[in-house]
Amino acid sequence: MKEPKKSKFPQVVIIGGGFGGLEVAKQLADKPVDVLMLDKHNYHTFQPLLYQVATGSLESESIAFSLRKNFASQKNFRFRIAEVSGVDMEKNIVSTDIGDVPYDYLVIATGSTTNFFGNKEIERYAMPMKSIPEALNLRYLILQNLEEASLKTTREEKEPYLSFVLVGAGPTGVELAGALAELRNHILTRDYPDLEKNHMKVYLVDFLPKVLGPFSDQGSKAAKKFLTDMGVEVLLNVKVESYNGEEIKFEGGKSIRTKNVIWSAGVMGVVPDGIGKDKIVGGNRISVDAINRVKGAENVFAIGDVAAMITEEMPKGHPGVAQVAIQQGALAGKNIMHLIKDEAVVPFKYRDKGSLATVGRNKAIADLGKIRFQGFFAWLIWMFVHLISLLGFRNKVIVFINWIGSYVTFNGGSRLIIRRFKREELPKKHTQEAKAD
């Protein structure tokens, strides 16, 4: 099967319906091109709120929005659910499980996935949180382990079920640590009267010397204080050595008995087959030029987390945040039209609009250029920015109502176990290989 072109206009194929892919498609609305978006899901995920899905504060549908519905009024747009297996840049074809898809211009906006740095044992037993299915798996694991803890009789038996270790003190780790601390402080004994609050432990671990590494020192220190005040044990300058599903070990001899390890210590780009190894740089990202065009290609772009634009200002490439993807997507759409019209292209220049991270109720960090502040006002700004960024009016209303309910009652969310999460056992061969590494 071969996906046909819709019209005589140039076909622009976008792989990925994340922030960057959406922006490319929006920029090409009403232009003389045929836009085809491919994604393995038929919805856009608002990733900044995945941690609230994982802790049961929000339902998954409230942070997802139909890609078809989002572009219902865009006449030159089509969408297909497809698993992309590779790209042939010589023949201008994308290979997928629904057939080959031809393109005149291609935009790779595949984003990133969790990086376990080659440790197969940790990859099997630690929990990632980069998608809605992964966030739901994490939610069910948390709830199942709380249920298991309530069946145990001694504190020693309960300990591994009630110990939560978050590896990676970036925004994801900080926000999830804060959410788990609030679950313990306000919800645990209500839902599980057989458990004691002081028995549940939340650890935030990082090999770096500070939390929220990309933030200012002022913001980092404030985040750490917020967390410790909430009862989170912050372990910095600590490197994970191994995790076998029962015990996590750190270099230096420290270990924690736990069945709950959440891994947000790194990401790597999701690169389709067919992109030459000579074009891949650190973090498994595609090397691009000043207009986000894949180096050595004339009509293939890469944007967002999967792209690395190495410059003197950005020797490691741009940060993996939504604003980078959005801005690169907008410019990629414009530059595709410039190329079609044989006009001069415009180089990408990132406009840093600042960083926000929430730690919990009334606690957030705002680094907005030279303006830096923390606390309640930063929390209000964080909520406003995230609400207006959600796709769909219904989702905005549902999330806002959920937030109001949680704020008033200290007990938002349903925390239902709709399906059980069962982790597959790691084969002995892989265990031996991981230890040998």
Side-chain angles (χ1 to χ4, degrees):
M1 173 187 171
K2 188 172 182 179
E3 178 71 22
K5 287 180 64 172
K6 183 183 178 183
S7 68
K8 63 182 179 180
F9 296 120
Q11 175 149 286
V12 180
V13 174
I14 304 168
I15 307 176
F19 291 107
L22 291 184
E23 200 61 34
V24 177
K26 284 166 57 179
Q27 287 297 323
L28 296 174
D30 303 321
K31 301 294 192 296
V33 293
D34 175 23
V35 181
L36 174 63
M37 179 177 286
L38 307 174
D39 197 292
K40 61 184 177 181
H41 300 297
N42 70 341
Y43 56 84
H44 166 79
T45 300
F46 190 71
Q47 288 188 328
L49 294 181
L50 277 175
Y51 80 96
Q52 294 196 15
V53 173
T55 51
S57 299
L58 294 175
E59 294 308 315
S60 58
E61 291 82 358
S62 61
I63 69 164
F65 194 77
S66 166
L67 290 167
R68 294 182 187 277
K69 188 173 181 179
N70 189 60
F71 291 100
S73 62
Q74 187 168 324
K75 302 304 180 185
N76 67 341
F77 176 89
R78 288 178 297 148
F79 173 77
R80 296 288 183 269
I81 293 180
E83 287 269 7
V84 172
S85 56
V87 174
D88 189 329
M89 292 196 293
E90 291 185 2
K91 296 181 180 179
N92 290 349
I93 287 175
V94 177
S95 299
T96 79
D97 61 348
I98 62 170
D100 290 343
V101 178
Y103 65 83
D104 295 295
Y105 293 89
L106 174 66
V107 181
I108 301 172
T110 44
S112 60
T113 189
T114 305
N115 189 352
F116 294 96
F117 304 101
N119 192 312
K120 296 297 183 182
E121 188 179 45
I122 291 177
E123 182 176 352
R124 181 59 61 92
Y125 290 112
M127 299 295 291
M129 195 188 66
K130 290 289 289 180
S131 66
I132 286 177
E134 288 178 350
L136 289 174
N137 284 341
L138 179 55
R139 178 200 292 191
Y140 298 139
L141 177 70
I142 291 170
L143 295 176
Q144 286 167 202
N145 283 340
L146 292 178
E147 294 287 346
E148 286 292 327
S150 67
L151 299 175
K152 306 301 179 183
T153 55
T154 68
R155 181 169 182 173
E156 184 180 2
E157 290 177 319
K158 295 177 181 180
E159 180 184 345
Y161 297 96
L162 295 177
S163 295
F164 295 84
V165 180
L166 296 100
V167 182
T172 298
V174 166
E175 292 177 345
L176 190 51
L180 286 170
E182 290 198 322
L183 187 151
R184 176 193 59 201
N185 296 340
H186 304 301
I187 296 171
L188 182 68
T189 54
R190 296 187 189 183
D191 283 10
Y192 304 92
D194 296 330
L195 301 178
E196 296 182 36
K197 190 164 62 175
N198 64 323
H199 289 177
M200 180 174 165
K201 303 293 183 183
V202 181
Y203 303 88
L204 181 63
V205 180
D206 204 301
F207 70 94
L208 294 175
K210 59 183 285 192
V211 301
L212 295 178
F215 282 62
S216 65
D217 288 342
Q218 178 184 339
S220 174
K221 290 176 182 177
K224 184 180 179 182
K225 186 177 187 307
F226 286 148
L227 288 167
T228 53
D229 289 347
M230 295 167 71
V232 176
E233 187 170 338
V234 180
L235 306 175
L236 301 176
N237 294 304
V238 173
K239 188 175 181 180
V240 176
E241 191 175 78
S242 66
Y243 177 56
N244 61 5
E246 301 288 337
E247 183 179 38
I248 185 169
K249 295 181 179 180
F250 308 98
E251 288 185 357
K254 182 178 176 62
S255 65
I256 299 171
R257 293 174 59 231
T258 176
K259 291 181 176 291
N260 309 283
V261 171
I262 300 111
W263 191 269
S264 61
V267 296
M268 59 182 183
V270 179
V271 180
D273 290 343
I275 306 298
K277 290 184 179 179
D278 59 313
K279 296 177 175 62
I280 307 300
V281 297
N284 200 46
R285 294 179 298 165
I286 303 171
S287 180
V288 298
D289 62 16
I291 65 167
N292 277 99
R293 188 164 45 187
V294 176
K295 289 190 175 179
E298 293 295 323
N299 60 342
V300 181
F301 292 74
I303 60 174
D305 290 2
V306 76
M309 186 184 295
I310 308 299
T311 65
E312 289 185 7
E313 294 180 354
M314 297 283 182
K316 295 183 179 179
H318 293 84
V321 295
Q323 270 303 316
V324 171
I326 291 169
Q327 293 177 33
Q328 288 183 342
L331 189 62
K334 292 176 182 177
N335 276 330
I336 286 172
M337 292 311 304
H338 288 320
L339 290 171
I340 291 172
K341 296 176 182 179
D342 200 23
E343 299 173 345
V345 294
V346 180
F348 177 72
K349 185 171 179 59
Y350 177 49
R351 297 180 298 279
D352 189 351
K353 296 184 178 181
S355 301
L356 296 167
T358 182
V359 183
R361 180 188 182 90
N362 298 336
K363 302 178 183 71
I365 313 299
D367 278 4
L368 308 178
K370 295 182 179 180
I371 303 173
R372 298 164 182 171
F373 52 97
Q374 305 83 38
F376 178 71
F377 188 52
W379 181 68
L380 290 179
I381 292 176
W382 180 91
M383 286 200 302
F384 174 76
V385 168
H386 284 69
L387 270 180
I388 64 171
S389 300
L390 275 166
L391 294 185
F393 177 75
R394 175 181 174 275
N395 284 4
K396 290 178 171 66
V397 171
I398 289 174
V399 169
F400 181 69
I401 291 173
N402 271 271
W403 285 351
I404 292 295
S406 297
Y407 190 82
V408 172
T409 65
F410 286 88
N411 193 21
S414 54
R415 295 178 293 284
L416 304 178
I417 303 176
I418 303 298
R419 60 172 171 81
R420 292 190 65 82
F421 170 72
K422 184 174 177 59
R423 183 190 287 112
E424 295 180 10
E425 291 298 321
L426 184 69
K428 291 182 179 180
K429 180 182 176 182
H430 287 172
T431 305
Q432 293 168 354
E433 289 175 355
K435 289 180 178 178
D437 292 342

